[in-house]
Amino acid sequence: MTLLTIDGLQMYYRSDDGYVRAADDINLELESGQTLGLVGESGSGKTTIARSIIRLLPDNAEVIDGSIDFDGTEVTDLSDRELRKQIRWREVSMIPQNAMNGFDPVYTVGQQIVQAIRYHEKETSKREARDRARDLFDELGIEPDRIDDYPHQFSGGMAQRAMIALALCLEPRLILADEPTTALDVVIQDRILQTIKRMQAEIDSAMILITHDISVVSETADRIAVCYGGRIVEQADSATIIKNPRHPYTLGLRNAFPDIGDEDDDLISIPGTPPELVDPGEGCRFAPRCPFAEEECWEETPKPEEYGDGHIVRCHRADEADLLREQATEKATWDGMRDKVRQSISRGED
Amino acid sequence: MGLREYVIRRVFQLILTLWTLVTLLFILFRMVPGDPTSRFVMDYPSDAERQARIEELGLNEPLYIQYIEYMGQLLQGEFGDSAHYRQPVSEIIFPLFLNTIVLMFTALIIAYTVGILFGAAMGWFRGSRFERVGIIATLVARASPEFWIGIILVWIFVFQLGLFPRSGIGGYGGELTMNFVDRYINFDFLRHLILPALTGAIVYLATPALLMRNTMLEVLKADFVEIKQAEGLPERTVLYKHAARNSILPLVTVAAIATGAAMGGSVIIETVFNWPGVGREMVASVSRNDYPVAMAAFLLMGTSVIVMNFVADILYLYLDPRVKYE
């Protein structure tokens, strides 16, 4: 069953220089119980896309076009009040990057979980809400009595677990996990991810996992959408994205993460910086950094094309994926690009 | 370290600070040139009379004896006798001190209640016209001298509108003899209280208002504000229960310190409104070289500041669970 359909969403931020096109022509679908990984660098629009669903955006954010359908409800049409009562936390909850800062420091974690439960379930008694919080803690591997502790009394990993308890207390159908493990050390990262997966399966909720680390989502997500410059440049099931990517940016992202097993493998980074999203003009937004860019890429915005079974790519040269894939593993391909970027900067053409 | 030990240690520090204050005051006042007899330099008193008076006051004793005697007196709650009134200082100073406290706390309560609400609103409506006008208004109020505000208020409310009495605290000059209830719990006293309290409130309003606005802006950036909104909680819950509640913490300390500032400000406000308080008496006693009264006045004001700081520290323990007892 399709839980979430985002169709042609344009979410822009108003600014003095004009609109910042943070999310441009976004199309996404999410089945219930599924996990979608949103991958991209900072400013790629991944957080904007996810937060649009609960409209948790700055005041200057504006839906220009498109729709967000959450299980038959058009979210963009809801009033603030309806959104708060029907969607936020009850249906869609969220796990922030830094759980320690996600809790109000002056109340105990238990008080905050109980408050969230009781606001949305008026009939639940304080005692029942507390018991539920204790049960959640127990399942997440925290001593239940610790619900009476203040956030600062938790360690980083523990606070993240407590945050998961808060996110799950109403058994939402969608969890937005915004870099949930980035602030943690690597050993704990994996354990937290496993915990999130386990709990998610238990209450059968879907998840959007936002991260800049493609290796995090490769294990956790069913589907991956790669964001660049406010657009989704490629999306497919995880295996396809990892093994058979077609977009040059995805190819570059794969290179940027080390394979510990392969010592000879030099890290290859993508030269250049993310695009300016105020008035970016026509053309592929990755073109300035893309070693495979041709004239067409600069002039015409590539449309999303499907390459079999939900593999959607926005690239003029996606047909030549086999060739690109081969060249992209060579350092020289990207180094050549690096020189070009440097020249264009020194000529003031950037 | 447990809560109890922390409080005990803090009390110990309090006592030490008070002792330092008393000693400093004692030394300072003995360093000041002149004594209570040096005011009348022309004919009176004669040298013999003067000498007798000095002995009567104990000023001929060595300094350390005077110090020990003074400390001994203080421990018994006595400040000695006033050289001017020829009366025990405590009888003079405590009723005056009470008057000052009533005036200043009224002013501070108004200033902090209005200031916190106003400041929270300014933070929440950041970038609005309301915020801009609000900031300018508070800064103007803050920059204005107390006596000037007092005079303006008197001009408007006394001379133009005739709403309030000009000065004093009412009670037909018997303000020092009446008991507490008779003195403060009546309409006449309230009418006398309004203008000086308002003057103080206007001056003290800026600190809590601007500080509240600033901390609100900081707190509103915190992740938890966003999470509380994501939880679907109503805006007023997020604003008051979470954002404002966190912003109020720094104000507790400032409020305590402001009490000290208010005590200083009371000197001027009391003079403008002829309010029989310890501030006015302090000025008068210093110009009379009446050490015992002046020292008692300084001591009371200093003690208020120290005690209020102590109260702030203890309050903080309850308001902010992150405070460690170190």
Side-chain angles (χ1 to χ4, degrees):
Chain A
M1 189 196 76
T2 306
L3 179 68
L4 174 76
T5 310
I6 300 180
D7 187 18
L9 179 72
Q10 293 182 305
M11 176 70 78
Y12 293 177
Y13 296 114
R14 264 174 280 116
S15 83
D16 292 341
D17 306 327
Y19 281 118
V20 179
R21 305 181 178 219
D24 216 352
D25 196 13
I26 302 299
N27 297 289
L28 272 180
E29 269 192 23
L30 183 59
E31 300 290 310
S32 57
Q34 223 187 26
T35 299
L36 169 75
L38 271 182
V39 187
E41 51 199 15
S42 328
S44 62
K46 54 193 195 301
T47 300
T48 300
I49 296 169
R51 291 186 172 205
S52 301
I53 302 162
I54 51 173
R55 218 189 288 157
L56 194 72
L57 295 163
D59 288 340
N60 61 344
E62 208 176 295
V63 179
I64 305 293
D65 197 15
S67 77
I68 300 171
D69 182 304
F70 184 85
D71 195 28
T73 308
E74 179 51 46
V75 176
T76 52
D77 289 344
L78 290 179
S79 72
D80 284 347
R81 194 186 147 80
E82 287 166 334
L83 185 81
R84 280 199 295 104
K85 296 218 162 210
Q86 297 168 20
I87 302 292
R88 286 187 181 178
W89 226 254
R90 182 181 278 262
E91 297 284 5
V92 185
S93 72
M94 140 178 194
I95 303 173
Q97 179 174 142
N98 193 333
M100 202 68 95
N101 302 337
F103 284 108
D104 185 335
V106 303
Y107 298 101
T108 64
V109 170
Q111 282 171 334
Q112 297 182 56
I113 296 176
V114 167
Q115 172 175 264
I117 294 174
R118 304 236 305 150
Y119 179 71
H120 290 283
E121 298 175 8
K122 304 279 188 242
E123 68 287 351
T124 306
S125 75
K126 205 169 174 177
R127 163 127 246 132
E128 289 164 345
R130 263 183 74 86
D131 287 344
R132 198 191 301 174
R134 289 177 65 94
D135 291 345
L136 274 169
F137 263 42
D138 199 25
E139 272 190 77
L140 288 163
I142 320 174
E143 176 61 35
D145 285 342
R146 297 209 61 184
I147 64 165
D148 293 321
D149 280 352
Y150 288 95
H152 71 276
Q153 292 170 302
F154 287 80
S155 68
M158 198 93 87
Q160 200 58 294
R161 283 166 200 273
M163 200 71 222
I164 296 169
L166 178 64
L168 298 180
C169 68
L170 295 169
E171 306 204 343
R173 280 190 291 169
L174 174 61
I175 302 163
L176 307 176
D178 195 343
E179 308 258 9
T181 59
T182 307
L184 304 171
D185 66 65
V186 187
V187 181
I188 299 177
Q189 266 188 16
D190 197 49
R191 231 181 286 158
I192 293 286
L193 273 180
Q194 295 311 320
T195 310
I196 295 178
K197 282 298 283 183
R198 176 167 59 82
M199 297 299 282
Q200 180 203 0
E202 213 163 283
I203 63 171
D204 191 29
S205 107
M207 175 159 72
I208 295 182
L209 181 62
I210 303 166
T211 178
H212 61 267
D213 185 345
I214 201 166
S215 63
V216 165
V217 284
S218 63
E219 300 166 18
T220 323
D222 303 302
R223 245 181 109 69
I224 296 176
V226 180
C227 303
Y228 185 82
R231 290 193 179 125
I232 293 175
V233 292
E234 179 164 20
Q235 56 175 310
D237 59 273
S238 302
T240 308
I241 291 285
I242 301 302
K243 294 205 187 78
N244 295 309
R246 282 174 179 269
H247 197 283
Y249 179 63
T250 317
L251 296 171
L253 265 192
R254 263 192 344 161
N255 284 343
F257 286 93
D259 183 352
I260 294 179
D262 191 352
E263 286 177 19
D264 301 332
D265 213 8
D266 275 345
L267 274 191
I268 308 172
S269 62
I270 306 173
T273 49
E276 191 62 52
L277 292 180
V278 180
D279 206 6
E282 277 297 304
C284 174
R285 287 181 191 164
F286 188 58
R289 297 169 74 184
C290 179
F292 313 113
E294 294 173 336
E295 205 159 312
E296 189 188 16
C297 303
W298 292 88
E299 283 162 6
E300 201 183 317
T301 305
K303 295 205 169 34
E305 303 275 354
E306 186 157 350
Y307 293 85
D309 205 20
H311 186 183
I312 303 167
V313 188
R314 261 181 193 272
C315 177
H316 289 305
R317 298 190 65 186
D319 294 330
E320 311 160 55
D322 291 332
L323 175 72
L324 304 189
R325 227 171 276 144
E326 203 183 303
Q327 291 181 4
T329 52
E330 286 160 30
K331 203 160 184 292
T333 309
W334 300 91
D335 283 346
M337 201 51 218
R338 188 163 284 121
D339 296 337
K340 244 192 271 176
V341 169
R342 208 173 289 137
Q343 282 163 14
S344 75
I345 291 171
S346 63
R347 283 203 310 267
E349 283 176 6
D350 192 22
Chain B
M1 184 162 57
L3 178 64
R4 175 199 293 256
E5 284 158 80
Y6 173 75
V7 174
I8 289 173
R9 199 158 91 171
R10 203 60 195 74
V11 169
F12 197 75
Q13 284 173 354
L14 174 79
I15 293 168
L16 195 73
T17 319
L18 282 175
W19 175 73
T20 313
L21 171 72
V22 172
T23 309
L24 270 177
L25 272 178
F26 181 85
I27 294 169
L28 280 174
F29 269 93
R30 291 306 185 272
M31 280 167 67
V32 173
D35 59 61
T37 65
S38 60
R39 226 176 115 220
F40 309 99
V41 283
M42 303 294 276
D43 311 319
Y44 173 87
S46 67
D47 283 352
E49 280 171 317
R50 217 177 134 171
Q51 200 52 43
R53 184 81 183 102
I54 282 174
E55 273 168 37
E56 186 190 333
L57 290 169
L59 294 175
N60 55 335
E61 304 276 359
L63 215 54
Y64 73 92
I65 302 268
Q66 289 186 36
Y67 178 69
I68 291 168
E69 275 178 10
Y70 187 67
M71 294 304 281
Q73 272 180 0
L74 276 186
L75 287 179
Q76 294 162 36
E78 284 297 328
F79 297 99
D81 292 342
S82 160
H84 175 76
Y85 296 103
R86 308 239 169 180
Q87 251 184 306
V89 173
S90 51
E91 276 176 30
I92 301 160
I93 208 88
F94 280 118
L96 294 175
F97 187 54
L98 203 55
N99 285 341
T100 298
I101 287 182
V102 169
L103 171 59
M104 283 305 138
F105 271 87
T106 312
L108 284 172
I109 286 166
I110 298 173
Y112 274 76
T113 314
V114 176
I116 284 170
L117 294 175
F118 189 56
M122 281 199 291
W124 192 256
F125 296 110
R126 167 162 219 194
S128 65
R129 201 192 166 92
F130 166 77
E131 191 210 12
R132 277 198 299 277
V133 174
I135 289 177
I136 294 171
T138 29
L139 286 177
V140 167
R142 189 194 169 116
S144 310
E146 284 108 325
F147 73 86
W148 184 78
I149 292 177
I151 290 168
I152 298 290
L153 288 183
V154 166
W155 182 72
I156 296 173
F157 290 101
V158 180
F159 296 127
Q160 297 301 313
L161 301 174
L163 288 176
F164 302 110
R166 161 74 187 85
S167 63
I169 65 166
Y172 308 103
E175 61 263 21
L176 299 186
T177 53
M178 284 188 292
N179 67 42
F180 185 83
V181 175
D182 286 346
R183 191 159 15 134
Y184 297 126
I185 315 296
N186 62 67
F187 186 63
D188 190 42
F189 176 76
L190 187 67
R191 273 168 38 97
H192 281 85
L193 176 66
I194 287 174
L195 284 189
L198 201 58
T199 307
I202 289 173
V203 178
Y204 307 136
L205 179 84
T207 307
L210 294 178
L211 190 65
M212 188 68 189
R213 172 187 163 273
N214 281 0
T215 43
M216 273 294 277
L217 291 182
E218 276 309 304
V219 169
L220 286 176
K221 275 189 243 159
D223 291 351
F224 74 81
V225 173
E226 207 165 50
I227 293 294
K228 295 301 161 199
Q229 284 171 333
E231 281 172 29
L233 303 175
E235 196 166 358
R236 60 167 191 284
T237 309
V238 181
L239 169 58
Y240 292 117
K241 192 172 176 188
H242 298 286
R245 170 70 175 73
N246 272 274
S247 310
I248 221 159
L249 293 172
L251 275 148
V252 177
T253 332
V254 173
I257 296 164
T259 314
M263 288 289 166
S266 73
V267 175
I268 290 159
I269 294 175
E270 284 173 11
T271 308
V272 171
F273 290 94
N274 216 12
W275 188 267
V278 74
R280 212 182 48 156
E281 188 61 30
M282 186 164 84
V283 177
S285 61
V286 167
S287 63
R288 288 178 195 133
N289 271 338
D290 193 352
Y291 299 161
V293 175
M295 281 175 75
F298 277 108
L299 190 58
L300 282 178
M301 289 193 172
T303 307
S304 326
V305 177
I306 293 169
V307 169
M308 286 313 291
N309 273 312
F310 172 75
V311 169
D313 278 357
I314 301 298
L315 256 181
Y316 228 102
L317 287 181
Y318 292 95
L319 287 175
D320 190 347
R322 284 167 301 181
V323 172
K324 294 252 172 58
Y325 327 121
E326 280 162 6

